[in-house]
Amino acid sequence: MLSLVIGTLAGLARLGSLVPEIALQQAAQHGVLMIPAFFGTVIGLERAVAIGQHWAYTAPLLTGVGGVVLLLGAPPAMAIALLTLGSLVFLIASIKVLRIQQAVHNWILLGGVSGLFIGNLLLLNGQAVSQLLYWWIAFLVLTIAGERLELSRLVIRDPRKRLGLALLSVIPLAGAAIGTFSPSIGLILFALGLAGIGVWLLLFDIARRTVRLDGLTRFTAVCMLAGYGWLLLSALLFLGLALGGSGVGRDAALHAIFLGFVFSMVIGHALIIFPAVTRLKIPYSPLFYLPLLLLQLSLLLRVAGGLGGHAGLLIHGGLLNALTLGLFILILVGSILRGQWGRRTANS
C-alpha cells in the first residue's frame, strides 16, 4: 500500500503537481513502485496463498521489502536487487504450480511472471524503465488473461479457444524481446498481441454472460468489459506510436492500459481476491460503481489531453485519476469496517 500511495503521488510529481517531499524524491521511481513493488507484491501474495506453502510467501515478502527499502532512501540498486530476487521466487512458484497442473491458464500465468522477472533483471542490469516497460506490461496483461481464462474454464470448453489465447499471449512477449533490437517492429508486434488478447477476452470471457446478473457479479463483469475496451484502445495507441505517431500519445497509451485496463480489473476483483487473501469480509455495495465511473471519465480526460497535446487536460485528468484511486480505497476500507461490524453484531 505504501508503494501504491507514494507511487501514485510520484506520478503526480511527474506531471508537475505539488506533492509531499517523499513522493517528489521518488518521481523517477514511479513505474518501479507501481509495477514490481506494488503489483509484484500483491499478485505474488495471491499466488502464494493459492500454493499454500510457506516458502512461496518469500516472493511477496522480498518485493514488498524492496518497495519499502526504496522509499526509505536506500540505494536503488539494493531495492531493485530485492525486487528481482522476489520475482525469481515468484517465477519458481509459478513453475511449481505448472508442474502440479499442466493447464493452459497456468502456462499463460507463467509467461506473465517471466515478463516481470525479465523486466526486473534488465532494470538491475542498468536499463532504463522506458526500455523494459513492455516486459512489465506483458506481466500484467498475461496475468489478467490467465486468471480470466481460469475463471471461465467451465464456459470455455473448446480447447482450440484456450490454446488460441495461449498463442496470443506469446506475441507481446515476443514483441518485448524483439523491441530490444528493433524498437518499431517490436512495438508493432507487441501492440498486435495486446489487440488479439483484448478481442479474445471480449468474445469469450465469462463477463459477457455474468453482466446480465445482479449485485457483485454484474459489477465485476462491468469492470471487466470496461477494462477490455481500454486494452483495445491502448493497443491501437501503441500501434500508432510504432507507425510514427506523435510521442505525445505515449502517456495516453501507457495509462489506457495501466489505469483503464489494469485498475478496472483491480476494482472488479478486489471484492473477490482481497477477502480470500486477508480473510476479511467485504460486503458489496453499489457505491463501488462510483470510483469505477470516475476512473473511466478521468482517464478519458487524460487521454484526450495527451492525444490533443493539451497539457492542462492531461494534468487535471491525472489528478482526478489519483483522487479516484483514493476514493476507491476509502470505500473499500469502509466496506471492510462494515463487514467487521456486521460480524461482531451477529456474534453478539
Side-chain angles (χ1 to χ4, degrees):
M1 290 302 297
L2 283 172
S3 295
L4 173 62
V5 172
I6 303 301
T8 301
L9 292 174
L12 292 179
R14 292 166 69 92
L15 293 176
S17 299
L18 292 175
V19 297
E21 183 65 23
I22 185 175
L24 185 61
Q25 293 174 353
Q26 298 296 335
Q29 305 298 342
H30 167 62
V32 178
L33 288 169
M34 296 299 290
I35 305 175
F38 174 65
F39 280 110
T41 300
V42 170
I43 298 172
L45 180 59
E46 177 194 351
R47 199 68 49 82
V49 171
I51 293 174
Q53 296 182 11
H54 292 159
W55 67 269
Y57 287 89
T58 307
L61 176 63
L62 287 168
T63 53
V65 171
V68 172
V69 165
L70 191 61
L71 294 175
L72 290 176
M78 180 186 301
I80 295 168
L82 288 169
L83 293 170
T84 305
L85 185 58
S87 62
L88 176 59
V89 178
F90 191 175
L91 179 64
I92 294 170
S94 299
I95 293 172
K96 182 175 178 61
V97 170
L98 184 63
R99 291 182 64 183
I100 295 172
Q101 184 186 29
Q102 293 275 336
V104 174
H105 65 265
N106 284 332
W107 278 104
I108 297 174
L109 292 173
L110 178 61
V113 179
S114 299
L116 175 65
F117 174 65
I118 293 172
N120 289 352
L121 195 61
L122 292 173
L123 186 66
L124 185 64
N125 197 41
Q127 282 202 18
V129 171
S130 59
Q131 296 176 298
L132 56 86
L133 196 54
Y134 300 112
W135 288 107
W136 284 350
I137 294 174
F139 157 59
L140 294 171
V141 172
L142 267 60
T143 296
I144 292 168
E147 291 184 348
R148 293 308 298 175
L149 180 60
E150 182 181 11
L151 290 171
S152 302
R153 63 188 180 278
L154 298 179
V155 176
I156 307 173
R157 297 182 178 275
D158 188 344
R160 292 172 298 180
K161 293 178 181 178
R162 301 171 70 84
L163 181 60
L165 181 59
L167 293 175
L168 288 171
S169 297
V170 175
I171 301 176
L173 294 173
I178 292 173
T180 305
F181 310 100
S182 178
S184 59
I185 294 177
L187 188 53
I188 290 173
L189 195 60
F190 182 82
L192 291 175
L194 296 187
I197 293 171
V199 170
W200 191 99
L201 290 169
L202 277 173
L203 289 176
F204 304 120
D205 187 68
I206 195 174
R208 290 186 58 193
R209 300 188 182 191
T210 55
V211 74
R212 303 167 190 165
L213 303 178
D214 298 316
L216 174 59
T217 305
R218 170 179 283 182
F219 172 73
T220 302
V222 170
C223 292
M224 300 303 106
L225 295 175
Y228 301 155
W230 284 111
L231 177 59
L232 284 174
L233 177 60
S234 177
L236 291 175
L237 293 173
F238 277 127
L239 189 59
L241 287 173
L243 296 176
S246 172
V248 75
R250 181 175 169 82
D251 181 90
L254 290 176
H255 289 87
I257 196 162
F258 285 133
L259 288 172
F261 176 59
V262 175
F263 271 96
S264 289
M265 300 296 119
V266 169
I267 292 173
H269 283 131
L271 300 184
I272 301 170
I273 294 174
F274 199 79
V277 173
T278 64
R279 311 303 182 197
L280 293 173
K281 182 180 180 181
I282 307 180
Y284 164 73
S285 167
L287 274 177
F288 281 103
Y289 275 103
L290 182 57
L292 175 64
L293 177 61
L294 290 177
L295 176 65
Q296 314 307 310
L297 294 177
S298 61
L299 187 54
L300 281 172
L301 189 66
R302 180 172 188 155
V303 168
L307 293 178
H310 196 298
L313 284 180
L314 192 154
I315 292 170
H316 284 94
L319 180 60
L320 288 173
N321 291 155
L323 292 174
T324 298
L325 296 180
L327 176 62
F328 170 67
I329 292 173
L330 285 176
I331 294 176
L332 185 66
V333 171
S335 187
I336 292 172
L337 294 175
R338 184 161 57 91
Q340 293 297 100
W341 176 260
R343 179 179 295 179
R344 290 175 184 174
T345 303
N347 290 338
S348 60

